């Protein structure tokens, strides 16, 4: 585990920025000390790498949040897209360097503007964003959150976490227990009301993500106790698949 200051020194991201990422729900710490200090684990740092790569590629924080929260987010696929975008960016910069060198050699008479063309780079970036955000669920999420304040979004995020973390206190019951299944229904209804229509297919994908390890699992277990995320996955799977 690393403190927020240690992560700041390692990554070059300011403490204030890390705190802001936590506040808007983009990057929560892996856990917190009893005194409330943020602690970051390896899974959280991996997510931070994803965020920083997307930021280098000029993705907005809102776009990055939508990508990382997409139930179908695939880290390997995202890395492939990032590598392709960075390669295109590299070629664009190399073209600009070559142009600048030619201008210096010709004394400013190199009338070539093709190096400024970013059409291919822009098209690929738009395609990558569309692949993660063109789903009906994402469009509905965009509509519902278009006029919400940052405070309201934070409150929704906290309420959602509380609903999932509550499964941690139900682990003495069977996942099929009526009370547990009622909690799954409450979770589904909350997501539908505040984010997007949460079908059983989407809910099942979310459940798998909750219990798959990494940042989501760590955050849920930190809020609901050890095993909370894994039990939530089992309960959701029972609800969705019978």
């Amino acid at each position: 585990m690393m403190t927020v200051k240690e992560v700041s020194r390692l990554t070059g991201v300011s403490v204030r920025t890390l705190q802001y990422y936590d506040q808007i729900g983009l990057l929560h710490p892996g856990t917190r000390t009893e005194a409330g200090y943020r602690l970051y684990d390896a899974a959280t740092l991996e997510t931070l790498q994803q965020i920083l790569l997307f930021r280098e590629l000029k993705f907005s924080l809102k776009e990055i949040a939508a990508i990382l929260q997409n139930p179908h987010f695939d880290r390997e696929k995202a890395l492939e897209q990032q590598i392709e975008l960075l390669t295109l960016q590299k070629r664009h910069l190399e073209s600009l360097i070559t142009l600048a060198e030619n201008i210096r050699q010709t004394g400013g008479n190199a009338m070539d503007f093709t190096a400024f063309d970013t059409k291919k780079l822009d098209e690929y970036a738009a395609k990558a964003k569309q692949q993660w955000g063109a789903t009906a669920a994402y469009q509905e999420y965009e509509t519902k959150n278009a006029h919400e304040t940052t405070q309201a979004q934070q409150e929704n995020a906290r309420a959602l976490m509380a609903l999932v973390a509550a499964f941690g206190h139900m682990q003495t019951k069977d996942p099929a227990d009526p009370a547990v299944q009622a909690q799954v229904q409450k979770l589904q209804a909350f997501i539908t009301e505040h984010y997007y229509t949460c079908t059983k297919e989407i809910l099942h994908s979310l459940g798998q993500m909750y219990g798959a390890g990494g940042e989501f699992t760590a955050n849920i277990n930190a809020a609901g106790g050890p095993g909370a995320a894994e039990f939530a996955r089992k309960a959701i799977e029972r609800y969705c698949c019978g």
Side-chain angles (χ1 to χ4, degrees):
M1 291 286 185
M2 300 178 68
T3 66
V4 67
K5 289 184 178 180
E6 289 172 335
V7 173
S8 179
R9 285 196 295 267
L10 175 68
T11 64
V13 179
S14 71
V15 171
R16 180 172 294 182
T17 297
L18 291 169
Q19 291 171 339
Y20 179 67
Y21 286 175
D22 183 15
Q23 290 170 2
I24 64 174
L26 181 62
L27 181 72
H28 295 301
T31 187
R32 291 176 184 267
T33 66
E34 291 183 1
Y37 294 109
R38 297 172 175 85
L39 293 176
Y40 294 79
D41 56 14
T44 312
L45 292 177
E46 286 181 8
T47 302
L48 179 57
Q49 283 183 328
Q50 286 284 324
I51 293 169
L52 295 179
L53 280 170
F54 279 123
R55 289 297 284 162
E56 285 292 328
L57 294 166
K58 311 305 180 186
F59 282 52
S60 70
L61 292 179
K62 187 175 183 179
E63 289 167 339
I64 296 170
I67 290 171
L68 295 180
Q69 293 168 10
N70 189 307
H72 305 292
F73 176 71
D74 184 327
R75 184 170 179 270
E76 292 301 317
K77 181 179 179 181
L79 279 171
E80 289 177 7
Q81 292 173 330
Q82 288 165 344
I83 290 169
E84 179 63 25
L85 280 166
L86 289 167
T87 300
L88 289 170
Q89 194 175 77
K90 176 186 175 184
R91 291 172 185 165
H92 174 62
L93 290 173
E94 288 174 342
S95 296
L96 289 173
I97 291 170
T98 299
L99 174 62
E101 289 175 341
N102 288 340
I103 292 174
R104 181 174 61 181
Q105 291 172 3
T106 61
N109 296 320
M111 292 294 102
D112 181 4
F113 292 87
T114 57
F116 296 101
D117 186 1
T118 61
K119 183 178 180 181
K120 189 173 182 180
L121 177 61
D122 294 339
E123 286 179 349
Y124 192 92
K127 182 180 178 182
K129 293 175 184 179
Q130 185 180 31
Q131 285 181 347
W132 295 116
T135 63
Y138 177 73
Q139 297 299 331
E140 187 178 355
Y141 167 80
E142 284 283 276
T143 300
K144 286 186 175 181
N145 285 269
H147 303 294
E148 281 199 342
T149 64
T150 300
Q151 181 180 353
Q153 292 174 9
Q154 291 173 2
E155 289 174 354
N156 287 341
R158 284 193 290 268
L160 178 60
M161 176 58 75
L163 283 169
V164 182
F167 287 102
H169 303 295
M170 299 180 170
Q171 294 184 71
T172 56
K173 301 179 184 295
D174 188 277
D177 186 279
V180 177
Q181 290 299 292
Q183 184 66 18
V184 178
Q185 289 181 313
K186 285 175 63 178
L187 174 64
Q188 184 183 33
F190 183 88
I191 294 172
T192 296
E193 180 181 356
H194 297 282
Y195 293 96
Y196 44 74
T197 302
C198 187
T199 64
K200 283 191 174 182
E201 181 182 4
I202 291 176
L203 184 62
H204 183 258
S205 296
L206 288 171
Q208 295 299 306
M209 181 175 65
Y210 292 158
E215 182 187 2
F216 280 103
T217 302
N219 287 339
I220 294 169
N221 288 343
E230 292 79 1
F231 186 75
R233 179 190 62 76
K234 293 176 183 178
I236 290 170
E237 187 168 3
R238 174 75 183 194
Y239 177 81
C240 295
C241 303

